[in-house]
Amino acid sequence: MSAHPTITSSKSLKQQYDEQGYVIVPGLIPPEQFKALETASERVITRTRTGQWPHRRTVGRQFPPYGDGDPDSWGVQHVMHPDLGEPAFARWYTSDALVGVVQELLGALREDSCLYVVPGSHKTPRTPAQRALSSTLDPPTDPLTMPGAVRVSLRPGETVFYNNNILHCATYDAAAPRITLHACIGEARGGPTRARNILQHGLRWMKEPPFADTLDARGRAMLERIVRLQESVGGEVGYSLVN
């Protein structure tokens, strides 16, 4: 198994990302932001697990609608919502460090080895064996049975950027504490498909003044673009698992 690509090697970040479909950036979260993000995440996790924050991702569903039937959560939604009162997230998601890289993000605040990817699969058709293992929503017994799969292990402060077309999945150990920030950054040129990927999560609150008031100039510019994208498609954008 080859070593994970990082920007410390001789190849550029873009070269590695284009070739492998993902790349790890060490130390992207600066020390002065790390602790604030960690403590904010712990508070948000507690509020979600105790039912004080209803916006969560439930096990067995990659995309909405999630529903409230499953008590097990694998993610917290809308962490920049002003009602949460946690400005650390907006500061990080609109920061120079993060926006400068501009692709899919997983930022680890603790050790995290839940992600599995197939390097290079973002630019090639799935093989018959890969298709057989990725054509349903059933979770794999062992993600490494996927031909070509590798496990991505992150240390605190490391960030992995990956192409959303890469074959990937995740498994979680309920006994292992996990705090990982996950964001999606892309281009408005994707049109309706791009709109659905973002807006299916329900972002009406982002158009209200209290949220814009939490953002700096760059954050407000990013917000304006996502609002224009919403208005450009008109009406309901639907869900990825339905459309």
Side-chain angles (χ1 to χ4, degrees):
M1 183 182 299
S2 61
H4 293 310
T6 70
I7 61 171
T8 57
S9 71
S10 59
K11 292 186 178 181
S12 71
L13 175 64
K14 179 169 175 52
Q15 281 180 304
Q16 294 173 66
Y17 180 83
D18 288 345
E19 291 176 7
Q20 299 293 325
Y22 79 106
V23 66
I24 297 172
V25 182
L28 190 63
I29 303 175
E32 62 271 18
Q33 286 187 273
F34 187 93
K35 188 61 179 178
L37 287 168
E38 183 180 36
T39 55
S41 297
E42 290 172 344
R43 287 191 293 267
V44 168
I45 290 170
T46 298
R47 291 183 64 178
T48 302
R49 285 177 171 167
T50 57
Q52 299 175 60
W53 186 249
H55 306 295
R56 63 191 182 95
R57 298 189 176 197
T58 55
V59 172
R61 302 280 296 184
Q62 301 104 310
F63 302 108
Y66 294 108
D68 299 320
D70 195 320
D72 197 0
S73 305
W74 68 266
V76 180
Q77 294 264 95
H78 307 324
V79 295
M80 292 193 293
H81 199 301
D83 287 353
L84 269 181
E86 299 289 358
F89 296 120
R91 284 197 295 267
W92 169 239
Y93 285 134
T94 60
S95 67
D96 290 341
L98 180 56
V99 175
V101 183
V102 189
Q103 288 296 344
E104 303 278 350
L105 165 73
L106 277 174
L109 299 180
R110 294 182 181 171
E111 290 187 5
D112 194 325
S113 299
C114 73
L115 178 65
Y116 296 81
V117 302
V118 178
S121 60
H122 62 299
K123 56 183 181 180
T124 59
R126 286 177 290 175
T127 67
Q130 290 172 337
R131 189 172 296 278
L133 293 172
S134 60
S135 296
T136 72
L137 295 178
D138 298 330
T141 302
D142 179 4
L144 290 176
T145 58
M146 174 68 72
V150 299
R151 189 175 192 175
V152 179
S153 296
L154 300 177
R155 293 184 294 272
E158 289 187 327
T159 303
V160 58
F161 293 82
Y162 64 91
N163 188 303
N164 66 346
N165 290 321
I166 197 172
L167 270 175
H168 65 282
C169 72
T171 61
Y172 308 100
D173 181 356
R178 175 176 177 263
I179 302 176
T180 298
L181 302 180
H182 191 190
C184 182
I185 299 178
E187 295 182 306
R189 289 183 296 179
T193 299
R194 177 64 186 164
R196 180 179 301 123
N197 287 346
I198 300 299
L199 301 173
Q200 65 181 329
H201 296 282
L203 302 177
R204 291 186 181 90
W205 55 271
M206 297 183 77
K207 300 176 69 173
E208 299 172 356
F211 175 62
D213 291 343
T214 68
L215 303 175
D216 59 13
R218 169 182 279 150
R220 287 192 292 273
M222 295 170 72
L223 175 61
E224 289 171 2
R225 286 192 287 273
I226 193 66
V227 170
R228 286 200 301 269
L229 185 62
Q230 180 192 42
E231 294 172 346
S232 71
V233 297
E236 294 295 328
V237 296
Y239 297 111
S240 294
L241 292 179
V242 177
N243 294 74

